[in-house]
Amino acid sequence: VAVKDPTAVERANLLNMAKLSIKGLIESALSFGRTLDSDYPPLQQFFVVMEHCLKHGLKVRKSFLSYNKTIWGPLELVEKLYPEAEEIAASVRDLPGLKTPLGRARAWLRLALMQKKMADYLRCLIIQRDLLSEFYEYHALMMEEEGAVIVGLLVGLNVIDANLCVKGEDLDTQVGVIDFSMYLKSDDDIGCKERNVQIAAILDQKNYVEELNRQLNSTVNSLHARVDSLEKSNTKLIEELAIAKNNIIKLQEENHQLRSENTLILMKTQHHLEATKVDVEAELQTYKHSRQGLDDMYNEARRQLREESQLRQDMENELMVQVSMKHEIELAMKLLEKDIHEKQDTLIGLRQQLDEVKAINMEMYQKLQVTDDAMKEKNEIISRLEDKTNQINATMKQLEQRLQQAEKAQMEAENEDEKLKEEYVNKTEQLHREFSQKEKQLLQLETDLKIEREWRQTLEDGLQKEKETVSQLRIETQEIITLKKEFLKLQEKNRHLKAICQDQEAALQELASKLSESKMKIEDIKEANRVLQGQVWLKDKEATHCKLCETEFSLSKRKHHCRNCGEIFCNACSDNELPLPSSPKPVRVCDSCHAVLIQRCSFNVP
């Protein structure tokens, strides 16, 4: 006879005991009532059998004081595998009366039965056999097929409703002994009818459970579809986040590049400033050496500046006088611009003449200060012009008020005309009615004359009365004619007022257009002055050929520089000349921007 494995025999016995306990619990619950308490004996025996099943093949763990062999370790794993079991584990840990791991495991089993999820929790444990191998031996019931069978049997317990009080019960000191007397029954005690009724009830419960499983499967499928859609949306969001991160990285790289370029520009500007400082120092030294020979030229330049300042004052006086005429203001502004260009030309000519010794930088700074003063004076002129524009705006407002008064008078006249028209219509209707009545009376009188001649005297009296009424009617018609004449006169007055209003509106429009033109020209002057401040001259060594004819500069072909656009022409190409009242000779003008050209020296003197 072959010898059987004792662990296999233990597993078979525990499986049979689990079948008997689950079957007896379901049958007794169906006969007793589906809600069970903690004192119900079959339920207590079920928990004892489950403890023995979970303890089978459990590894012994060493502790500091003794060896530990409890089922709380594998049950605690369910919390990590099945997220819904976190509530049970937390409530078990929070129970105040439990002190041992075995008591916590017993409380966990009772709570899982009340939730009707014991089979689901244990199924998660059986699937993860790698984790269970840390707690159980390889021949344990939970590691073999018997564990899966027990989990399948536990699904039937979902029919039962258990109402267990775990808080006040002493679960640490309970003795887990199986009572076999509950399962040893004779065949005579069991009646066929009761058995058939119980089997029918069990079948009904089974059908109910299958329908519940189908519904749960449908809900699980819907949840899986939602999870898939959420995963897709999550992947899309992750891709968008990666794209955004890449964009941020690119922007950071661009920022670094811009910063590096900024540092390079700063270095270049510093080098340029250092070079300009060196040039200025050299020019100062040369200026000190050649100061004595240039005093006469400096005095002449100073005298010219005084004359130009007097001319500027004259022009300002003319501007103050000619505020009423906008065209004259524009011409005066142009003349001022040309004078400024001439002054700058003279200053630049001095610089070109003194460029051989490079000593005119200090004079240029002084002249720039003078030009700044001139700009301040121009700003004062502009402020005065703005005051004039404010005065014009005030006059415009007065004209608008007059227009409103005229419109009100026009409206009143129209209302009076309408009233007169209504009165005239009413009077004419009354006259027509009276005429019709009189005609009827005349017809009656004619018939009366034909029929009764005796009443002739009475009729003559009536005719006299009618004549009197006719005379009155004639007087009324004459009054109506006079009213018509007055109405025509009012219409003529109305037309005259409308023509005056139109003329005033046209004058206001012309004033507004002139004011806008003057403001635009003032802004153009300001922009031109700003541009003049930022212009940079070409060096003599770089300017070797004319911009138009491309011929090389020499003594015969001198350089002429446009201070507005920065172009350089020879005296042969810059033939455009413009007469100015401030200068006796005509001034050469740029071909592109029509600004005054400045003569520059075409050769270097050592």
Side-chain angles (χ1 to χ4, degrees), residues 348 537 543 545-547 553 556-563 566-577 587-590 596-602:
I348 294 163
W537 283 62
H545 292 77
C546 180
K547 186 70 177 178
F553 293 115
S556 61
K557 290 188 176 181
R558 295 183 179 178
K559 298 178 184 178
H560 287 82
H561 183 273
C562 179
R563 196 179 181 281
E567 301 294 339
I568 298 172
F569 307 99
C570 64
N571 53 1
C573 293
S574 57
D575 294 331
N576 293 326
E577 292 183 349
V587 179
R588 294 182 185 274
V589 180
C590 181
V596 178
L597 294 175
I598 299 160
Q599 185 177 356
R600 299 181 68 178
C601 189
S602 60

Side-chain angles (χ1 to χ4, degrees), residues 28 111 123 198 329 334 378 495 499 560 563 571 590:
S28 61
L111 292 173
R123 188 176 69 249
Q198 291 175 358
I329 290 167
K334 288 179 180 179
K378 284 184 181 179
R495 289 174 185 173
H560 287 82
R563 196 179 181 281
N571 53 1
C590 181

Side-chain angles (χ1 to χ4, degrees), residues 143-172:
M143 300 290 288
E144 296 294 335
E145 294 179 356
E146 287 83 354
V149 175
I150 290 169
V151 170
L153 294 170
L154 290 173
V155 176
L157 294 176
N158 293 332
V159 180
I160 299 167
D161 293 329
N163 189 5
L164 307 175
C165 184
V166 183
K167 189 173 182 181
E169 192 173 357
D170 188 10
L171 300 175
D172 293 330

Side-chain angles (χ1 to χ4, degrees), residues 429-443:
E429 286 177 357
Q430 289 178 0
L431 290 170
H432 282 298
R433 289 175 186 173
E434 289 176 0
F435 275 120
S436 63
Q437 289 177 2
K438 296 297 179 182
E439 286 175 357
K440 289 178 181 178
Q441 289 178 4
L442 286 170
L443 290 170

Side-chain angles (χ1 to χ4, degrees), residues 411-523:
M411 292 294 289
E412 291 175 358
E414 287 177 356
N415 291 324
E416 290 177 359
D417 292 336
E418 288 177 357
K419 289 179 181 179
L420 291 170
K421 283 180 181 177
E422 289 177 357
E423 290 177 0
Y424 176 73
V425 170
N426 292 325
K427 287 181 179 180
T428 52
E429 286 177 357
Q430 289 178 0
L431 290 170
H432 282 298
R433 289 175 186 173
E434 289 176 0
F435 275 120
S436 63
Q437 289 177 2
K438 296 297 179 182
E439 286 175 357
K440 289 178 181 178
Q441 289 178 4
L442 286 170
L443 290 170
Q444 289 177 1
L445 290 168
E446 287 175 357
T447 55
D448 291 329
L449 284 170
K450 289 177 182 179
I451 295 167
E452 295 178 356
R453 292 178 180 177
E454 294 177 354
W455 298 95
R456 187 176 292 173
Q457 292 179 356
T458 57
L459 291 171
E460 288 176 355
D461 296 331
L463 285 170
Q464 288 178 358
K465 291 179 180 178
E466 287 176 0
K467 286 178 181 179
E468 290 176 356
T469 54
V470 167
S471 64
Q472 290 178 357
L473 291 170
R474 286 177 181 174
I475 291 164
E476 288 177 355
T477 52
Q478 288 178 359
E479 290 176 356
I480 290 164
I481 289 164
T482 56
L483 290 171
K484 281 183 180 179
K485 290 179 180 179
E486 289 177 356
F487 179 71
L488 292 170
K489 289 179 181 179
L490 290 171
Q491 283 183 349
E492 288 178 357
K493 286 182 181 179
N494 191 5
R495 289 174 185 173
H496 183 66
L497 289 171
K498 284 182 179 179
I500 291 166
C501 290
Q502 289 177 358
D503 293 332
Q504 289 177 354
E505 287 178 354
L508 289 172
Q509 288 179 358
E510 289 177 358
L511 287 170
S513 63
K514 288 178 181 179
L515 284 171
S516 63
E517 288 176 359
S518 64
K519 286 182 180 179
M520 290 294 291
K521 287 175 181 177
I522 289 164
E523 289 177 356

Side-chain angles (χ1 to χ4, degrees), residues 166-185:
V166 183
K167 189 173 182 181
E169 192 173 357
D170 188 10
L171 300 175
D172 293 330
T173 59
Q174 286 183 0
V175 179
V177 179
I178 299 172
D179 187 7
F180 292 100
S181 62
M182 296 176 66
Y183 308 109
L184 298 173
K185 294 181 180 180

Side-chain angles (χ1 to χ4, degrees), residues 227-244:
V227 167
D228 293 332
S229 64
L230 289 171
E231 286 178 353
K232 289 178 181 178
S233 63
N234 193 6
T235 52
K236 287 180 181 179
L237 288 171
I238 289 165
E239 289 175 356
E240 290 177 356
L241 197 146
I243 292 164

